Amino acid sequence: MLAMDPEGSGIRDDPHVKVMMAGSTLRKVKSRSWKKPRHFRLLEDGLTIWYKSRWAGKGHSTFSVTELEAVREGHQSEVLLSIAEEFPADLCFTLVFHGRQGNLDLVAESPEEARAWIQGVRKLIHKAQTMDEKERLDQWVWDWFQKADKNKDGKMNFKEVRKLLKMMNVDMNEEHALHLFTMADKSESGSLEIEQFVHFYKILTQRDEVWKVFQDYSGDGEKLLLDELESFLRMEQHEGEQSTQHARELIDRCEPSETAKKQGAMSLDGFQMYLCSQEGSIFKPEHRVLYQDMSQPLSHYFISSSHNTYLLEDQLRGHSSLEAYIQALKRGCRCVEVDSWDGSDGEPVVYHGHTLTSKILFRDIISTLKEYAFKASDFPVILSLENHCGVEQQALMAQHLRQILGDTLLTTLLDGQTPQQLPSPQELKGKILLKAKKIGGLENCLDETLTDEVSDEEEMANDDAESLAAGDPPAECLNENKKKSKSKLSRELSDLVVYCKSVHFHGFEHARSHSKCYEMSSLSESKAKRLAKEAGTDFVQHNARQLSRIYPSGLRTDSSNYNPQDMWNVGCQIVALNFQTAGLEMDLNDGLFRQNNRCGYVLKPDFMRDSGAQFSPEKPEERQGYRPLRLSIQVISGQQLPKVNQKEGSIVDPLVRVEIHGVPQDQAKEETSHINNNGFNPLWNETLNFIIHTPELALVRFVVEDYDKASRNDFIGQFTLPFTCIQAGFRHIHLLSKDGTAIPPSSLFVNISISELT
């Protein structure tokens, strides 16, 4: 039975947590001039942090420990660094939230108090992250009870229960609600205490659709015996050989009843627990971990890449920030961008040139990179340098790179030999590679000051002026090509470029006969899209040997994104997106890189890794080994979808859309009808069918929306994953917010089948 404190009394006895529960006055800091005291405390549930501005007055705010990712000690944010002289490091700490939500910078009144909050919050985060499914469920029940028990008497009357149902997105007629209430009110007192409320919640969340599946395999309708569970795993979940072993493990892990465990059986509760767990999720567990070969050349991988990494907002007035680098790297990004300009006091600065975006010091970015580059992944980070500095400040940049990054910066060839192919992510683990212009090649024989490269901005201006079909005659000599700028390049900076030398793109023919594997070009989205359409096979072959970087059009001043799928379809590795902008495009990026331990590198399909490859995304049926598949998705039900509109009476009308993103022939979307007024447990039972020609490149995106006949539907949640990572059978899809963060317990229940197209 659920204890009054789902967190267990152990954590409440912790001295640091006790300080948090007693409450403290902490200064909330937003800038050098905005520093205001707020009263913070941890509420009785052991999970909610509450704060308000004055002891009197009504307004207060809360957030849950589950929203926090980490606590940084001392001056570890730009804001706290700016007030370092005023407040010593041992009073300062930063609460870091998941997703794109801003940090909370706080200053305590004493070092002891700061320590208590730092350690206390860390323990609570750890506790929240290690809860099992059962504890998590108890926690939600407890949370709802706390929210609904308005007068805080530890009981809930029918009026409070009715309000609660609205909060939970349940539209239920009064009669039915009263019936459930009476069933749970065993003591007939007219109110529910926490234990009875648990019972009420259980009746409310009983899932007939899960019960039906359970009934199909259970001989006595009460439990699944070992062989019954095993045949469910074999027949429905397509598990084959390992189903016997797996059935045993599942009973051990998911079955809450000791009696059933002893009999080697699974109850309905255990069955539902399994279906809601990671193993019952749509994503193959064996693809979550690092499962790919990491010893192939860099050009054989898709690489998670960010554009204008320094921006947190738009490209014209946005705030340039070190936090933006930390957030991108935390998301597994492995290629970050730096736009450097001459600073007025001799120190190079980074911002979006000729605009009102704020400036940050180049050296501060490099320090941030040193600290955060390898927290989410050990594999190499590429630093894409858009260099607008004069020779003096370029030399200073080179000095900063060497001094700050030390051995982490790759400055020499791995084996001293000029490479015939790029080194692998495995060989480059823990290294930062500079991508920039270089004087000459690794063979060192060219003119000292000339460099055959234009910056993104110039490239963009030339885009429409040049005809860029794959077979263009190459510009044989740079000097004849008057519109190229002759840039002065500092030898010190040039020497730091090893495997990522930026060169201008002169067409596939020229690259085939003249280019080295360590030379790479940057192309704007429009140019890349045109090349993909006109010469897809050439593009795929080019990308088997060399790296290509794609960046958003300069017209996207609002930091919007282009669809990365078009670029992945032709094997482009560095498809740079504005990580700060949530939406479909970042969902696809997060979806592709969710596999392989989110290390930021995903091995391309084998038909894209051979430089003689004959694959065109426009004609997938012409490739060797072409095997289209049929994907059938029965959308059964939804669970506890979040409210879109927080207004008291509003309840969502949800529909589910499934989108396929892949080669042009695979682009498709289908949706269910909408269900009126039920975000709590909508039932669709509708089947959506797709044919997929290139499964190796396809991503599947599940979107839930609140139907609105008068205006655009509102977004409720989504989940995107590679087609190759889908587990067939009865599965739950755990939905994510617009920001890509989890919104438990919201999910979809589906039955998926994948078959060959005969």
Side-chain angles (χ1 to χ4, degrees):
M1 191 77 292
L2 183 80
M4 267 309 280
D5 173 17
E7 286 295 275
S9 56
I11 196 99
R12 295 169 138 224
D13 296 336
D14 180 274
H16 296 135
V17 174
K18 277 185 168 160
V19 171
M20 292 175 67
M21 293 185 99
S24 306
T25 299
L26 306 170
R27 266 175 229 248
K28 182 176 166 185
V29 186
K30 286 191 184 174
S31 66
R32 289 178 78 152
S33 53
W34 199 103
K35 308 181 282 270
K36 301 193 175 169
R38 296 283 182 261
H39 186 65
F40 281 79
R41 68 186 171 89
L42 176 68
L43 299 185
E44 296 67 34
D45 63 356
L47 260 199
T48 309
I49 294 175
W50 173 100
Y51 64 97
K52 65 184 289 186
S53 51
R54 296 181 308 279
W55 291 88
K58 276 193 168 169
H60 69 274
S61 305
T62 60
F63 57 88
S64 166
V65 171
T66 55
E67 294 169 45
L68 293 175
E69 185 177 300
V71 189
R72 296 192 206 141
E73 293 180 57
H75 301 138
Q76 286 209 55
S77 74
E78 287 158 290
V79 170
L80 291 176
L81 275 167
S82 72
I83 55 160
E85 269 129 49
E86 196 179 341
F87 298 108
D90 60 6
L91 298 180
C92 299
F93 60 101
T94 302
L95 300 182
V96 182
F97 289 82
H98 290 290
R100 295 179 177 81
Q101 193 180 335
N103 297 339
L104 192 53
D105 290 304
L106 300 168
V107 179
E109 290 180 337
S110 71
E112 296 69 37
E113 199 151 34
R115 170 105 335 248
W117 277 84
I118 291 164
Q119 298 296 2
V121 173
R122 280 182 182 161
K123 282 174 194 158
L124 294 171
I125 290 175
H126 179 71
K127 172 82 181 132
Q129 285 169 347
T130 50
M131 281 199 278
D132 63 23
E133 292 301 319
K134 169 122 177 54
E135 290 174 297
R136 206 164 258 134
L137 206 61
D138 289 350
Q139 185 59 56
W140 290 322
V141 179
W142 173 262
D143 285 351
W144 284 121
F145 187 79
Q146 294 293 102
K147 278 184 196 148
D149 180 13
K150 291 276 191 253
N151 59 5
K152 301 288 170 236
D153 61 355
K155 295 190 183 90
M156 207 181 303
N157 59 33
F158 183 60
K159 192 173 157 205
E160 288 175 322
V161 165
R162 268 212 340 263
K163 267 220 168 79
L164 171 73
L165 291 173
K166 277 270 195 300
M167 281 157 69
M168 292 171 101
N169 230 341
V170 185
D171 189 21
M172 187 184 283
N173 69 35
E174 186 126 349
E175 213 174 319
H176 186 52
L178 187 57
H179 172 64
L180 295 187
F181 182 84
T182 317
M183 276 171 68
D185 180 15
K186 296 248 170 44
S187 57
E188 299 181 12
S189 62
S191 63
L192 306 181
E193 294 187 4
I194 182 79
E195 275 80 6
Q196 295 165 334
F197 177 66
V198 173
H199 186 57
F200 173 79
Y201 184 87
K202 239 181 144 165
I203 314 172
L204 190 66
T205 52
Q206 252 174 5
R207 295 184 44 195
D208 293 344
E209 74 279 24
V210 172
W211 184 78
K212 282 193 182 104
V213 180
F214 183 79
Q215 289 295 310
D216 285 345
Y217 283 86
S218 165
D220 65 358
E222 294 291 316
K223 57 186 177 306
L224 287 175
L225 297 171
L226 188 61
D227 60 339
E228 292 169 340
L229 177 57
E230 186 196 324
S231 73
F232 168 77
L233 294 175
R234 201 176 51 253
M235 310 284 292
E236 302 290 351
Q237 308 297 72
H238 311 275
E239 286 194 7
E241 299 304 300
Q242 78 255 35
S243 56
T244 317
Q245 176 61 24
H246 196 204
R248 280 205 181 87
E249 290 169 7
L250 288 177
I251 290 173
D252 210 42
R253 260 202 301 277
C254 303
E255 179 50 57
S257 148
E258 287 305 324
T259 328
K261 252 188 200 169
K262 285 198 180 81
Q263 298 172 351
M266 185 176 259
S267 66
L268 178 60
D269 278 354
F271 185 63
Q272 192 163 317
M273 208 69 91
Y274 150 62
L275 286 176
C276 294
S277 72
Q278 286 289 16
E279 287 172 279
S281 96
I282 189 173
F283 204 109
K284 282 182 185 167
E286 64 271 25
H287 282 192
R288 281 182 187 278
V289 295
L290 190 72
Y291 73 99
Q292 294 184 328
D293 173 8
M294 301 306 286
S295 62
Q296 302 207 22
L298 275 184
S299 54
H300 289 187
Y301 297 84
F302 295 121
I303 302 172
S304 181
S305 306
S306 140
H307 171 249
N308 286 357
T309 317
Y310 45 86
L311 291 182
L312 275 173
E313 296 157 42
D314 66 49
Q315 327 257 318
L316 298 180
R317 298 172 306 278
H319 178 53
S320 304
S321 164
L322 299 173
E323 260 335 299
Y325 284 89
I326 298 173
Q327 288 198 8
L329 291 164
K330 273 194 322 206
R331 274 187 118 99
C333 176
R334 297 286 86 191
C335 177
V336 295
E337 189 185 359
V338 171
D339 267 349
S340 62
W341 300 79
D342 280 342
S344 50
D345 58 355
E347 273 292 342
V349 291
V350 171
Y351 75 112
H352 199 46
H354 312 302
T355 64
L356 301 174
T357 59
S358 59
K359 301 178 170 71
I360 24 184
L361 291 177
F362 175 80
R363 64 161 192 248
D364 288 345
I365 290 177
I366 304 308
S367 302
T368 301
L369 197 56
K370 165 107 174 122
E371 186 174 352
Y372 288 94
F374 302 108
K375 284 201 193 298
S377 164
D378 296 336
F379 293 105
V381 171
I382 297 168
L383 177 60
S384 178
L385 181 63
E386 186 69 43
N387 169 20
H388 306 273
C389 292
V391 179
E392 292 74 24
Q393 293 200 16
Q394 286 181 42
L396 193 52
M397 284 199 292
Q399 187 186 325
H400 288 324
L401 285 163
R402 276 188 188 278
Q403 282 178 353
I404 297 168
L405 297 177
D407 294 345
T408 313
L409 181 69
L410 189 82
T411 54
T412 54
L413 289 162
L414 287 179
D415 54 6
Q417 304 294 306
T418 304
Q420 294 313 299
Q421 59 174 32
L422 287 166
S424 70
Q426 187 61 42
E427 293 171 295
L428 294 166
K429 258 186 165 178
K431 292 288 181 199
I432 293 173
L433 282 63
L434 182 64
K435 170 196 140 348
K437 306 170 189 179
K438 185 173 179 68
I439 301 165
L442 294 174
E443 300 78 12
N444 290 333
C445 59
L446 283 176
D447 172 344
E448 287 291 293
T449 57
L450 271 186
T451 150
D452 170 20
E453 152 71 1
V454 286
S455 73
D456 279 359
E457 280 83 341
E458 293 165 276
E459 183 96 61
M460 209 124 50
N462 299 341
D463 244 16
D464 302 316
E466 288 177 22
S467 111
L468 285 156
D472 275 358
E476 290 305 339
C477 174
L478 188 67
N479 299 346
E480 294 167 14
N481 201 342
K482 288 289 179 275
K483 71 178 163 226
K484 295 287 185 320
S485 53
K486 291 188 179 183
S487 339
K488 282 274 190 189
L489 197 54
S490 108
R491 166 61 77 183
E492 293 92 329
L493 193 59
S494 163
D495 284 349
L496 300 181
V497 176
V498 186
Y499 292 114
C500 299
K501 175 188 174 182
S502 298
V503 298
H504 179 61
F505 180 72
H506 294 297
F508 295 126
E509 200 46 59
H510 181 265
R512 205 170 290 136
S513 45
H514 295 83
S515 292
K516 309 282 191 286
C517 67
Y518 58 81
E519 294 180 327
M520 59 179 289
S521 305
S522 285
L523 306 167
S524 76
E525 58 173 286
S526 48
K527 183 166 166 180
K529 219 172 165 168
R530 198 156 61 242
L531 290 173
K533 210 165 179 54
E534 291 165 9
T537 308
D538 289 334
F539 214 160
V540 171
Q541 291 177 354
H542 174 84
N543 285 330
R545 198 173 87 90
Q546 287 176 257
L547 293 173
S548 295
R549 174 176 170 272
I550 315 299
Y551 57 88
S553 143
L555 302 173
R556 293 182 182 274
T557 51
D558 57 353
S559 289
S560 61
N561 279 311
Y562 56 95
N563 191 319
Q565 188 71 47
D566 302 328
M567 314 305 167
W568 293 329
N569 287 342
V570 285
C572 298
Q573 304 85 351
I574 299 180
V575 180
L577 295 177
N578 292 308
F579 268 53
Q580 70 275 27
T581 307
L584 162 72
E585 299 81 10
M586 273 308 293
D587 290 347
L588 296 178
N589 199 72
D590 288 345
L592 175 65
F593 292 103
R594 185 165 278 121
Q595 60 183 320
N596 212 26
N597 205 21
R598 299 186 182 213
C599 74
Y601 286 82
V602 165
L603 189 62
K604 295 198 270 190
D606 55 0
F607 55 81
M608 299 184 111
R609 306 198 298 256
D610 173 5
S611 49
Q614 288 301 313
F615 171 71
S616 160
E618 298 289 331
K619 305 192 190 86
E621 65 288 347
E622 289 179 10
R623 83 168 160 95
Q624 248 184 326
Y626 166 67
R627 227 184 85 230
L629 295 173
R630 185 188 299 280
L631 169 66
S632 178
I633 299 170
Q634 183 193 8
V635 179
I636 304 172
S637 61
Q639 291 72 46
Q640 303 186 51
L641 304 173
K643 288 180 70 158
V644 174
N645 186 334
Q646 289 310 319
K647 282 211 298 282
E648 187 87 348
S650 78
I651 286 176
V652 298
D653 305 327
L655 64 84
V656 177
R657 186 171 60 252
V658 176
E659 306 169 350
I660 310 292
H661 297 266
V663 297
Q665 273 184 23
D666 287 344
Q667 303 283 356
K669 52 176 81 162
E670 295 282 333
E671 57 186 44
T672 65
S673 49
H674 68 275
I675 305 280
N676 282 326
N677 278 339
N678 186 351
F680 188 71
N681 54 2
L683 269 176
W684 289 279
N685 275 320
E686 293 178 40
T687 301
L688 311 176
N689 292 303
F690 302 92
I691 288 167
I692 300 191
H693 297 274
T694 313
E696 299 86 346
L697 284 172
L699 291 167
V700 183
R701 181 171 184 251
F702 294 84
V703 193
V704 186
E705 287 181 346
D706 180 12
Y707 172 76
D708 189 329
K709 64 175 184 290
S711 59
R712 279 185 58 183
N713 293 350
D714 284 323
F715 172 90
I716 293 177
Q718 70 83 33
F719 187 77
T720 306
L721 78 167
F723 177 84
T724 51
C725 295
I726 290 179
Q727 300 202 84
F730 287 98
R731 302 291 170 193
H732 276 92
I733 297 166
H734 299 281
L735 295 172
L736 303 174
S737 69
K738 200 174 175 58
D739 217 12
T741 55
I743 42 174
S746 303
S747 60
L748 294 176
F749 185 45
V750 296
N751 187 6
I752 293 179
S753 75
I754 296 169
S755 54
E756 301 232 350
L757 198 61
T758 44

